[in-house]
Amino acid sequence: MGATAGGLSACSGGTRSDARFKIDDDVSAAVRQMQTELPFTRSLMANAAGVLMMPTVTKAGLIVGGAYGKGSLLIGQAPVDYYEVFAASYGLQAGAQQYSSALFFMDSDHLRKFRERPGWTLGADVEYTLIDNAGAAGVDNNTIDDAVYAVVFNQAGILLGISIEGSKYNRIIP
């Protein structure tokens, strides 16, 4: 009996880890917050082939900066893969902040390319349109014509300056 119980507890076939539960809960909360604060994202989400949601990205810098976050790729609102983002920056910058971000893949070809690459770089692997809170009002079904949209929301903290930044997304198994 003891050996069987020990063997079963070591087997994780079909069960999700606590890390996945945490990411799923954080992603669900971020989606709700995004759709409440930025109603136009409902349309983006409904029309997207997939959405990469990063519920919390932490960024800090003093001349050299870095950022890190974890999230999941949603297809039809269900998590299908988990990702982490690393970013590095250099320039006149100082401070720290946290934010949430979503990448909306508007066609299956760009989503497929994203999923096939072991490490994917925003800007190098795909051109994208950044939508921040200030300029979001004009996005609707009639104006969606780019392949990938990036939406940043829920910013907290202060990070001032001008810098050059690169971000890399990697698939993880939490």
PDB file of all heavy atoms in Angstrom, residues 1 6 8 13 21-22 24 26 50 57 65 97 101-102 121 125 139 160-161 167:
ATOM      1  N   MET A   1       0.825  -1.194   0.000  1.00  0.00           N
ATOM      2  CA  MET A   1       0.000   0.000   0.000  1.00  0.00           C
ATOM      3  C   MET A   1       0.863   1.249   0.000  1.00  0.00           C
ATOM      4  O   MET A   1       0.617   2.146  -0.759  1.00  0.00           O
ATOM      5  CB  MET A   1      -0.932  -0.045   1.225  1.00  0.00           C
ATOM      6  CG  MET A   1      -1.733   1.189   1.411  1.00  0.00           C
ATOM      7  SD  MET A   1      -3.132   1.158   0.292  1.00  0.00           S
ATOM      8  CE  MET A   1      -3.990   2.563   0.859  1.00  0.00           C
ATOM      9  N   GLY A   6       3.029   5.969  -2.767  1.00  0.00           N
ATOM     10  CA  GLY A   6       4.206   6.756  -3.115  1.00  0.00           C
ATOM     11  C   GLY A   6       4.385   6.836  -4.613  1.00  0.00           C
ATOM     12  O   GLY A   6       4.728   7.874  -5.164  1.00  0.00           O
ATOM     13  N   LEU A   8       2.009   6.582  -6.893  1.00  0.00           N
ATOM     14  CA  LEU A   8       0.957   7.419  -7.469  1.00  0.00           C
ATOM     15  C   LEU A   8       1.224   8.891  -7.218  1.00  0.00           C
ATOM     16  O   LEU A   8       0.948   9.731  -8.068  1.00  0.00           O
ATOM     17  CB  LEU A   8      -0.410   7.029  -6.891  1.00  0.00           C
ATOM     18  CG  LEU A   8      -0.972   5.694  -7.368  1.00  0.00           C
ATOM     19  CD1 LEU A   8      -2.271   5.389  -6.635  1.00  0.00           C
ATOM     20  CD2 LEU A   8      -1.201   5.705  -8.870  1.00  0.00           C
ATOM     21  N   GLY A  13       0.749  12.195 -14.342  1.00  0.00           N
ATOM     22  CA  GLY A  13      -0.003  12.025 -15.580  1.00  0.00           C
ATOM     23  C   GLY A  13      -1.408  12.562 -15.460  1.00  0.00           C
ATOM     24  O   GLY A  13      -2.199  12.111 -14.653  1.00  0.00           O
ATOM     25  N   PHE A  21      -1.751  26.050 -12.213  1.00  0.00           N
ATOM     26  CA  PHE A  21      -2.953  26.629 -11.609  1.00  0.00           C
ATOM     27  C   PHE A  21      -2.755  28.115 -11.355  1.00  0.00           C
ATOM     28  O   PHE A  21      -3.640  28.920 -11.619  1.00  0.00           O
ATOM     29  CB  PHE A  21      -3.304  25.927 -10.290  1.00  0.00           C
ATOM     30  CG  PHE A  21      -4.083  24.660 -10.453  1.00  0.00           C
ATOM     31  CD1 PHE A  21      -3.635  23.495  -9.865  1.00  0.00           C
ATOM     32  CD2 PHE A  21      -5.268  24.622 -11.174  1.00  0.00           C
ATOM     33  CE1 PHE A  21      -4.349  22.314  -9.992  1.00  0.00           C
ATOM     34  CE2 PHE A  21      -5.998  23.456 -11.311  1.00  0.00           C
ATOM     35  CZ  PHE A  21      -5.533  22.296 -10.717  1.00  0.00           C
ATOM     36  N   LYS A  22      -1.605  28.471 -10.814  1.00  0.00           N
ATOM     37  CA  LYS A  22      -1.305  29.882 -10.513  1.00  0.00           C
ATOM     38  C   LYS A  22      -1.295  30.721 -11.779  1.00  0.00           C
ATOM     39  O   LYS A  22      -1.898  31.797 -11.834  1.00  0.00           O
ATOM     40  CB  LYS A  22       0.050  29.969  -9.784  1.00  0.00           C
ATOM     41  CG  LYS A  22       0.573  31.369  -9.579  1.00  0.00           C
ATOM     42  CD  LYS A  22      -0.057  32.032  -8.393  1.00  0.00           C
ATOM     43  CE  LYS A  22       0.657  33.311  -8.035  1.00  0.00           C
ATOM     44  NZ  LYS A  22      -0.094  34.504  -8.352  1.00  0.00           N
ATOM     45  N   ASP A  24      -2.736  29.997 -14.674  1.00  0.00           N
ATOM     46  CA  ASP A  24      -4.102  30.026 -15.219  1.00  0.00           C
ATOM     47  C   ASP A  24      -4.978  31.031 -14.467  1.00  0.00           C
ATOM     48  O   ASP A  24      -5.729  31.797 -15.087  1.00  0.00           O
ATOM     49  CB  ASP A  24      -4.742  28.637 -15.160  1.00  0.00           C
ATOM     50  CG  ASP A  24      -4.123  27.662 -16.141  1.00  0.00           C
ATOM     51  OD1 ASP A  24      -3.388  28.095 -17.062  1.00  0.00           O
ATOM     52  OD2 ASP A  24      -4.372  26.446 -15.993  1.00  0.00           O
ATOM     53  N   ASP A  26      -3.967  33.673 -12.695  1.00  0.00           N
ATOM     54  CA  ASP A  26      -3.485  35.028 -12.982  1.00  0.00           C
ATOM     55  C   ASP A  26      -3.899  35.480 -14.377  1.00  0.00           C
ATOM     56  O   ASP A  26      -4.282  36.637 -14.587  1.00  0.00           O
ATOM     57  CB  ASP A  26      -1.962  35.097 -12.844  1.00  0.00           C
ATOM     58  CG  ASP A  26      -1.488  34.942 -11.408  1.00  0.00           C
ATOM     59  OD1 ASP A  26      -2.319  35.002 -10.472  1.00  0.00           O
ATOM     60  OD2 ASP A  26      -0.272  34.743 -11.216  1.00  0.00           O
ATOM     61  N   GLY A  50      -5.178  33.430 -31.586  1.00  0.00           N
ATOM     62  CA  GLY A  50      -4.623  33.106 -30.280  1.00  0.00           C
ATOM     63  C   GLY A  50      -4.195  34.367 -29.570  1.00  0.00           C
ATOM     64  O   GLY A  50      -3.938  35.392 -30.203  1.00  0.00           O
ATOM     65  N   VAL A  57       4.354  41.375 -15.737  1.00  0.00           N
ATOM     66  CA  VAL A  57       5.736  41.489 -16.187  1.00  0.00           C
ATOM     67  C   VAL A  57       6.385  42.520 -15.275  1.00  0.00           C
ATOM     68  O   VAL A  57       5.862  43.622 -15.104  1.00  0.00           O
ATOM     69  CB  VAL A  57       5.833  41.933 -17.663  1.00  0.00           C
ATOM     70  CG1 VAL A  57       7.292  42.082 -18.086  1.00  0.00           C
ATOM     71  CG2 VAL A  57       5.112  40.933 -18.567  1.00  0.00           C
ATOM     72  N   GLY A  65      18.582  47.617 -18.142  1.00  0.00           N
ATOM     73  CA  GLY A  65      17.350  47.143 -17.532  1.00  0.00           C
ATOM     74  C   GLY A  65      17.000  45.734 -17.949  1.00  0.00           C
ATOM     75  O   GLY A  65      17.589  45.177 -18.874  1.00  0.00           O
ATOM     76  N   GLN A  97       8.776  49.000 -12.657  1.00  0.00           N
ATOM     77  CA  GLN A  97       7.342  48.949 -12.864  1.00  0.00           C
ATOM     78  C   GLN A  97       6.885  47.513 -13.098  1.00  0.00           C
ATOM     79  O   GLN A  97       7.689  46.642 -13.413  1.00  0.00           O
ATOM     80  CB  GLN A  97       6.904  49.824 -14.034  1.00  0.00           C
ATOM     81  CG  GLN A  97       7.304  49.318 -15.398  1.00  0.00           C
ATOM     82  CD  GLN A  97       6.717  50.170 -16.518  1.00  0.00           C
ATOM     83  OE1 GLN A  97       5.946  51.090 -16.293  1.00  0.00           O
ATOM     84  NE2 GLN A  97       7.090  49.857 -17.732  1.00  0.00           N
ATOM     85  N   SER A 101       0.465  42.399 -20.183  1.00  0.00           N
ATOM     86  CA  SER A 101       0.467  42.572 -21.637  1.00  0.00           C
ATOM     87  C   SER A 101      -0.233  41.411 -22.304  1.00  0.00           C
ATOM     88  O   SER A 101      -0.303  40.298 -21.763  1.00  0.00           O
ATOM     89  CB  SER A 101       1.894  42.713 -22.174  1.00  0.00           C
ATOM     90  OG  SER A 101       2.579  41.487 -22.092  1.00  0.00           O
ATOM     91  N   ALA A 102      -0.757  41.693 -23.486  1.00  0.00           N
ATOM     92  CA  ALA A 102      -1.408  40.674 -24.304  1.00  0.00           C
ATOM     93  C   ALA A 102      -0.942  40.847 -25.737  1.00  0.00           C
ATOM     94  O   ALA A 102      -0.864  41.971 -26.235  1.00  0.00           O
ATOM     95  CB  ALA A 102      -2.921  40.808 -24.219  1.00  0.00           C
ATOM     96  N   THR A 121      11.130  36.453 -30.901  1.00  0.00           N
ATOM     97  CA  THR A 121      11.466  37.819 -30.534  1.00  0.00           C
ATOM     98  C   THR A 121      10.497  38.793 -31.168  1.00  0.00           C
ATOM     99  O   THR A 121      10.352  38.814 -32.393  1.00  0.00           O
ATOM    100  CB  THR A 121      12.908  38.153 -30.969  1.00  0.00           C
ATOM    101  OG1 THR A 121      13.780  37.168 -30.431  1.00  0.00           O
ATOM    102  CG2 THR A 121      13.323  39.522 -30.481  1.00  0.00           C
ATOM    103  N   ASP A 125      10.946  38.730 -35.213  1.00  0.00           N
ATOM    104  CA  ASP A 125      10.218  37.637 -35.845  1.00  0.00           C
ATOM    105  C   ASP A 125       8.891  38.081 -36.442  1.00  0.00           C
ATOM    106  O   ASP A 125       8.325  37.383 -37.274  1.00  0.00           O
ATOM    107  CB  ASP A 125       9.970  36.504 -34.853  1.00  0.00           C
ATOM    108  CG  ASP A 125      11.253  35.772 -34.496  1.00  0.00           C
ATOM    109  OD1 ASP A 125      12.133  35.674 -35.368  1.00  0.00           O
ATOM    110  OD2 ASP A 125      11.375  35.310 -33.357  1.00  0.00           O
ATOM    111  N   VAL A 139      -9.931  51.139 -32.199  1.00  0.00           N
ATOM    112  CA  VAL A 139      -9.745  49.777 -32.684  1.00  0.00           C
ATOM    113  C   VAL A 139     -11.068  49.030 -32.588  1.00  0.00           C
ATOM    114  O   VAL A 139     -11.668  48.934 -31.530  1.00  0.00           O
ATOM    115  CB  VAL A 139      -8.664  49.038 -31.868  1.00  0.00           C
ATOM    116  CG1 VAL A 139      -8.533  47.605 -32.325  1.00  0.00           C
ATOM    117  CG2 VAL A 139      -7.341  49.754 -31.994  1.00  0.00           C
ATOM    118  N   LEU A 160      11.318  55.751 -15.929  1.00  0.00           N
ATOM    119  CA  LEU A 160      11.477  56.899 -16.807  1.00  0.00           C
ATOM    120  C   LEU A 160      12.702  56.737 -17.681  1.00  0.00           C
ATOM    121  O   LEU A 160      13.696  56.140 -17.268  1.00  0.00           O
ATOM    122  CB  LEU A 160      11.616  58.181 -15.975  1.00  0.00           C
ATOM    123  CG  LEU A 160      10.454  58.503 -15.041  1.00  0.00           C
ATOM    124  CD1 LEU A 160      10.815  59.668 -14.144  1.00  0.00           C
ATOM    125  CD2 LEU A 160       9.201  58.799 -15.830  1.00  0.00           C
ATOM    126  N   GLY A 161      12.627  57.299 -18.876  1.00  0.00           N
ATOM    127  CA  GLY A 161      13.804  57.324 -19.718  1.00  0.00           C
ATOM    128  C   GLY A 161      13.532  56.932 -21.152  1.00  0.00           C
ATOM    129  O   GLY A 161      12.393  56.740 -21.570  1.00  0.00           O
ATOM    130  N   SER A 167      12.747  41.839 -26.542  1.00  0.00           N
ATOM    131  CA  SER A 167      12.020  40.854 -25.736  1.00  0.00           C
ATOM    132  C   SER A 167      12.066  39.502 -26.430  1.00  0.00           C
ATOM    133  O   SER A 167      11.921  39.425 -27.640  1.00  0.00           O
ATOM    134  CB  SER A 167      10.558  41.269 -25.572  1.00  0.00           C
ATOM    135  OG  SER A 167      10.452  42.516 -24.945  1.00  0.00           O
TER     136      SER A 167
END
